[in-house]
Every structure is written in structure tokens, then in C-alpha cells.
């Protein structure tokens, strides 16, 4: 257990509140440092075992001298040689241990240098705000080399396809405005700031107009929790005039359609567009969801109720 002393107070390390980043490093470095220490302890055990054996050999050599009937002067001289030899060998082993320890530390330092990236080059999680639609897509991950326009379009297309509302129009004049974590505000204020920045050249702290091909993480040091606002006439399928599926069917495509029952009109197999327009205000129930029709199936035109078929 590690303690820190401040004046007369003793503070346990586990009582110190760590920041989220410190906690991450603590968790990862704890195991790594433990492995590093284990390696050093193994080396120490090997050193102690070798020193013990060396000392035993020296002691055996001293005992052997006593059996050789040497004069005291010669005996002392030979013992001195044994002691010097032992001291030299011990010093060499200890030097080798220090050298090994340094090599381990250097290797570990190199590993950390190469594998712990700076925060500025880590992927960043942000929110994308499609301003005219009052639509926000959260938890979008930007890698350091991701460029603004391709990454934003990809994120929007993916999110809206999952919601069955495909992106159908992305004008060339769409603008991207980066709001830092502490510059974000409600939709009304965001729209006001965007218009002032784009139309009047007003500057706001931590609000930046992005080039469509810039790399926000590298070029603008985009922080986690930031928001990229899309300003322009982006259109989705839901923005287009409703059309009956009977007029949209394409044999070569694998289309997915939701069908409904209108209890008011007493028939089923009604596509979603007809349900929303032709049968608006009627008593509706889901019939079959995520269906893959093999023909232009919608019974609304067949029952002469359709007002949106071209």
C-alpha cells in the first residue's frame, strides 16, 4: 500500500481521486509494471542463487586449503586469492544484474514511447448535428486521418439508413462548423451562431468553420465531445413527397417494405407512404414489417384509395 504525506496528514493512494485519463493509465500500467517487477525479481533470484553458489565454492576452497598442510603465511596468501576472486566475481555478477535491469528499463521505455500515443492523435468521439433537420447523431468516431466531408457523410448515411430514411441529396455548398465541447448550445442558439459566422464573419471562441477536406483531429485538435454542425439543404427520403410503393418497385433491387392494415377501410397490404397519407386519421395496425416484396405490392391503388401514386 502506498501513502503520501502532506504536513501531518497521511493519505492513502487509493483515496486520491483520479481523473478518467489517470484511471485508464493506472489500470493499464499496473499490470505492465507488475510484469516488469516480476521480471526484475526473477533476475534477483538468479543473482542471489549465483552469489550463494559462488560463496559456497569459495568456502569449500578455503576448507580445502586447510587440508594441504601449508604454512600460515602461504595459507593466508591463498585465502586472500580466494577472497579476491570471490569479490571480483561478485562484483561482475552485480554489474551484470544492473546492466540487465537497465536493458529491461530501456526496452520498456521504448515500448511505452512507441505504443502510448499522444491524446492529439487518438480517435475522437463527437456528435454530428444536421442543423436544418434538428437531427443529432451521437458517438461518431473520428480517426486522426478522417477528413471532414467523407466521414460526416458516411456517418449520416449509416445512421439514416438504419432509420430507413436514406440520404438522397447532399449539396456541394454544405458547410461544416465545429463547436468545441464548451461552445455547444441549444439548436436555436446554434443556428444563430452559424448564420452570424457564415454570413457576417463573426468569430466565436471554440467555433471553427471546417474545410470539407480538413482532418479535424490533426488540423483543428478536435476534442472529444465536440459537435460538427452541418448547414445546408441536406435532404432525406422523408423530405420528398410521399409515393406509393406500387410506383417505386424495382425488380432488380432487394427492397424492404412495411405493410399495414386499415381497419377503417377494411383491407391490408398498405405500404407506409399510403398509410401516412391516404389513410391518415384512420384506425391502423401493423401487418408485416421488413417484408421483401417480389412485385409492386400495395393494395391501396387496387382498392381505389390511393391519392399519391404517380
Amino acid at each position: 500500500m502506498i501513502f503520501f504525506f502532506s504536513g501531518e496528514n497521511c493519505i492513502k493512494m487509493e483515496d486520491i481521486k483520479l481523473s478518467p485519463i489517470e484511471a485508464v493509465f493506472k489500470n493499464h500500467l499496473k499490470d505492465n509494471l507488475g510484469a516488469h517487477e516480476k521480471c526484475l525479481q526473477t533476475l534477483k533470484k538468479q543473482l542471489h542463487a549465483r552469489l550463494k553458489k559462488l560463496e559456497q565454492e569459495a568456502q569449500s576452497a578455503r576448507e580445502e586449503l586447510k587440508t594441504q598442510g601449508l604454512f600460515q603465511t602461504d595459507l593466508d596468501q591463498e585465502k586472500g586469492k580466494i577472497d579476491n576472486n570471490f569479490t571480483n566475481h561478485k562484483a561482475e555478477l552485480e554489474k551484470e544484474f544492473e546492466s540487465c535491469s537497465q536493458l529491461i528499463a530501456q526496452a520498456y521505455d521504448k515500448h511505452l514511447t512507441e505504443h502510448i500515443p499522444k491524446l492529439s492523435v487518438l480517435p475522437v468521439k463527437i456528435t454530428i448535428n444536421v442543423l436544418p433537420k434538428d437531427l443529432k447523431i451521437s458517438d461518431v468516431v473520428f480517426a486522426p486521418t478522417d477528413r471532414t466531408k467523407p466521414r460526416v457523410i458516411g456517418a449520416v448515411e449509416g445512421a439514416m439508413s438504419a432509420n430507413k430514411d436514406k440520404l438522397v441529396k447532399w449539396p456541394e455548398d454544405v458547410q461544416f462548423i465545429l463547436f468545441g465541447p464548451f461552445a455547444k448550445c441549444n439548436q436555436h442558439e446554434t443556428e444563430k451562431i452559424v448564420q452570424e459566422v457564415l454570413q457576417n464573419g463573426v468569430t466565436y471562441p471554440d467555433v471553427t468553420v471546417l474545410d470539407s477536406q480538413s482532418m479535424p483531429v490533426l488540423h483543428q485538435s478536435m476534442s472529444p465531445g465536440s459537435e460538427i454542425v452541418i448547414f445546408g439543404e441536406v435532404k432525406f427520403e422523408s423530405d420528398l413527397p410521399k409515393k406509393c410503393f406500387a410506383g417505386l418497385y424495382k425488380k432488380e433491387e432487394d427492397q424492404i417494405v412495411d405493410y399495414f392494415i386499415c381497419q377503417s377501410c377494411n383491407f391490408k397490404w398498405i405500404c407506409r407512404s399510403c398509410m401516412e397519407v391516404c389513410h391518415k386519421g384512420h384506425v391502423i395496425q401493423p401487418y408485416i414489417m421488413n417484408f421483401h416484396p417480389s412485385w409492386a405490392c400495395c393494395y391501396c391503388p387496387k382498392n381505389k384509395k390511393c391519392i399519391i401514386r404517380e
Side-chain angles (χ1 to χ4, degrees), residues 116-122:
I116 298 184
K118 296 179 180 178
L119 285 176
S120 60
V121 297
L122 289 175

Side-chain angles (χ1 to χ4, degrees), residues 128-148:
I128 293 176
N129 183 352
V130 187
L131 189 58
K133 305 298 178 186
D134 194 15
L135 168 68
K136 291 192 177 185
I137 303 169
S138 59
D139 297 333
V140 177
V141 177
F142 254 80
T145 55
D146 281 341
R147 297 186 183 276
T148 303

